[in-house]
């Protein structure tokens, strides 16, 4: 009898372990839809002469984030919860550690690492859209790695890790990464855009602007909807499955996936409606859906759903004015990423401080608070803006950041890509050059 | 090349290729890092050459 109980207990524990593995495996798979979406979105948002160059850039962001996150990204997450001094526990994330590969005694590290890789690649893709049509691919890859496998994951170590100082000292609460991913990526993009400059033809000498329209709005809309689908995998990956016990959020507070279901759908809808009210433009409506999710993301586990809806409406409503403000400042953000991710993310982090203060944290960590969220959002802005600005300034100073203006006029595809996006389209301007090889 | 760190499946932990040979892991890792770095350098050179073709054609 005792032996049977022991065997059943062992079998139950293994079942729980495999359940955990399967859950994060499929979260990761669904998250890849985010990248399918960003790919369609960025290509659609480009003009016809730059479609494939934008696609190549986006694909390479994903491709380079995966190995670099293996080389050092996961180690950064585990090693720096206290600030800039690495802790010994980080050694488990070193690329030669026994956990960093097939291991029959560790079912968890691989699937957690994979989920974090997709978070990292999402971060890089957010930045990617802002800089299309004039950034050099090599510079972009360097910046994407710096963001996805560096800046973002350092912020995550501070504000998401159970020992992260933003949690243990300030009670920072950001379960869906409003600050950790969207603020960091949005302000990283802003730092780069300042040095990169606008697309040729965006601004006139008299200070007026030209509307460089996407060449394929339907592709943009489908891409944005794919991103929304992928975010369900993303948000699932932000929850901790505890076999045999209640879900917890990344901070160890109890939660349910039902909470995410209520609030994600409500803020998604609010975002669309908010953007529709202020713009009537489908491009901004679907961007509003994203912004709606980001404004509610930090507290997705705790919102009363109609509050999430209202937060989403605010997010959707502010993104176009936010982008218009940037244009007035001379910033050409090709897809509005700074506003959609950066500005909406700031509101999202602060929404927890305003509407959700006082929730208890595990251990000695302070309760959620306005001050804790304010400190957190300032840290996130700096984590994004400083590396984005400094690294792009360095690349600019050695002349490898921006595509020359005359190449921009001809089109990046004809200059760089040995293929054509629409070879049979009537009126397709192929230029006098043969495609690059 | 015998890269297996295990001789049976009893009580096995890490079983990836060369798991018990740190020197080999460091070497393969260094090659992988180098491959990424060189690819980026080559991409930068390719871009410069490709852009020159456009500039010369004007």
């Amino acid at each position: 009898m005792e032996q049977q109980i022991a065997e059943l207990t062992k079998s139950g524990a293994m079942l729980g372990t495999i359940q955990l593995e399967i859950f994060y495996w499929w979260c990761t798979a669904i998250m890849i839809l985010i990248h399918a979406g960003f790919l369609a979105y960025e290509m659609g948002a480009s003009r016809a002469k730059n479609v494939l160059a934008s696609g190549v850039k986006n694909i390479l962001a994903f491709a380079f984030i995966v190995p670099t996150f293996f080389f050092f990204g996961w180690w950064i997450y585990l090693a720096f919860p206290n600030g800039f001094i690495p802790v010994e526990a980080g050694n488990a994330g070193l690329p030669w550690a026994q956990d960093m590969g097939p291991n029959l005694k560790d079912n968890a590290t691989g699937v957690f690492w994979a989920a974090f890789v997709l978070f990292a690649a999402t971060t890089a893709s957010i930045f990617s859209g802002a800089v299309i049509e004039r950034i050099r691919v090599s510079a972009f890859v360097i910046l994407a790695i710096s963001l996805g496998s560096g800046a973002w994951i350092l912020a995550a170590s501070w504000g998401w890790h159970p020992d992260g100082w933003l949690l243990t000292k300030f009670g920072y609460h950001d379960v869906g990464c409003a600050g950790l991913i969207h603020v960091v990526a949005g302000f990283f993009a802003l730092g780069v855009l300042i040095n990169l400059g606008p697309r040729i033809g965006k601004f006139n000498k008299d200070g007026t602007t030209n509307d460089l329209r996407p060449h394929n709005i339907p592709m943009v809309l489908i891409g944005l909807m794919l991103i929304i689908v992928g975010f369900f995998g993303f948000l699932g990956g932000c929850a901790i499955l505890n076999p045999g016990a209640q879900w917890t959020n990344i901070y160890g507070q109890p939660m349910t996936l039902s909470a995410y279901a209520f609030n994600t759908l409500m803020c998604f809808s609010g975002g669309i409606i908010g953007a529709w009210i202020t713009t009537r433009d489908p491009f901004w409506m679907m961007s509003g859906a994203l912004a709606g999710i980001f404004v509610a993301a930090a507290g997705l586990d705790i919102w009363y759903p109609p509050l999430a809806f209202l937060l989403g409406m605010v997010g959707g409503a502010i993104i176009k004015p936010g982008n218009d403000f940037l244009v007035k400042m001379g910033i050409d953000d090709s897809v509005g990423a700074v506003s959609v991710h950066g500005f909406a993310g700031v509101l999202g982090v602060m929404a927890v401080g305003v509407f959700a203060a006082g929730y208890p944290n595990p251990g000695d960590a302070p309760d959620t608070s306005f001050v804790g969220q304010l400190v957190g959002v300032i840290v996130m802005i700096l984590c994004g803006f400083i590396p984005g600005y400094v690294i792009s300034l360095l690349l600019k100073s050695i002349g490898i950041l921006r595509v020359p203006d005359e190449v921009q006029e001809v089109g990046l595809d004809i200059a760089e890509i040995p293929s054509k996006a629409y070879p049979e389209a009537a009126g397709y301007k192929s230029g006098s050059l043969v495609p690059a090889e | 090349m015998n890269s297996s760190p295990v001789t049976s499946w009893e009580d096995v932990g890490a079983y990836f290729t060369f798991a018990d040979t740190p020197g080999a892991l460091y070497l393969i890792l260094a090659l992988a890092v180098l491959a990424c770095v060189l690819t980026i350098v080559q991409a930068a050179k390719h871009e410069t050459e490709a852009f020159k073709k456009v500039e010369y054609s004007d």
Side-chain angles (χ1 to χ4, degrees), chain A residues 325-361:
Chain A
F325 167 75
L326 289 171
V327 172
K328 278 185 184 168
M329 297 292 107
I331 301 293
D332 176 20
D333 177 350
S334 308
V335 296
V338 176
S339 184
V340 172
H341 297 270
F343 296 169
V346 168
L347 287 182
V349 173
M350 292 316 301
V352 169
V354 173
F355 297 111
Y359 277 88
N361 273 304

Side-chain angles (χ1 to χ4, degrees), chain A residues 384-396:
Chain A
F385 185 81
I386 292 174
Y389 182 82
V390 171
I391 297 169
S392 61
L393 183 63
L394 186 66
L395 293 168
K396 181 183 180 183

Side-chain angles (χ1 to χ4, degrees), chain A residues 102-105 136-138 406 415, chain B residues 11 13-15 44 47-48 50 55:
Chain A
N103 186 324
L104 291 179
K105 292 181 178 173
R136 288 176 59 138
V137 172
S138 50
E406 54 271 32
Chain B
D11 199 30
Y15 63 94
E47 282 175 302
T48 302
E55 289 162 10

Side-chain angles (χ1 to χ4, degrees), chain A residues 158-302:
Chain A
W158 292 350
W160 228 31
H161 191 289
D163 298 324
W165 65 271
L166 281 174
L167 170 66
T168 58
K169 289 186 168 48
F170 294 97
Y172 181 66
H173 191 92
D174 187 7
V175 296
C177 298
L180 296 162
I181 284 183
H182 301 290
V183 173
V184 171
F187 281 85
F188 185 97
L190 179 60
V192 174
L193 286 169
I194 290 170
N195 289 315
L196 179 63
R199 289 167 288 178
I200 188 80
K202 175 67 181 177
F203 295 105
N204 301 313
K205 287 180 181 172
D206 62 1
T208 56
T209 60
N210 298 311
D211 189 12
L212 307 181
R213 299 296 297 169
H215 91 286
N216 191 333
I217 288 282
M219 189 190 286
V220 168
L221 300 183
I222 291 168
L224 284 162
M225 191 59 90
L226 279 173
I227 295 171
I228 299 286
V229 176
F231 261 99
F232 278 80
F234 179 103
L235 294 170
C238 294
I240 303 297
L241 189 155
N242 304 292
Q246 181 58 281
W247 294 89
T248 53
N249 64 24
I250 196 81
Y251 304 113
Q253 296 162 311
M255 58 156 279
T256 64
L257 268 191
S258 281
Y260 278 13
F262 275 128
N263 288 324
T264 306
L265 288 172
M266 289 293 271
C267 61
F268 158 80
S269 301
I272 293 174
I273 294 169
W276 184 62
I277 291 169
T278 54
T279 71
R280 309 294 183 196
D281 182 336
F283 175 89
W284 289 107
M285 285 165 65
M286 282 310 302
S287 296
L290 288 177
I293 293 176
F294 308 151
V295 169
L300 275 179
D301 55 333
I302 48 182

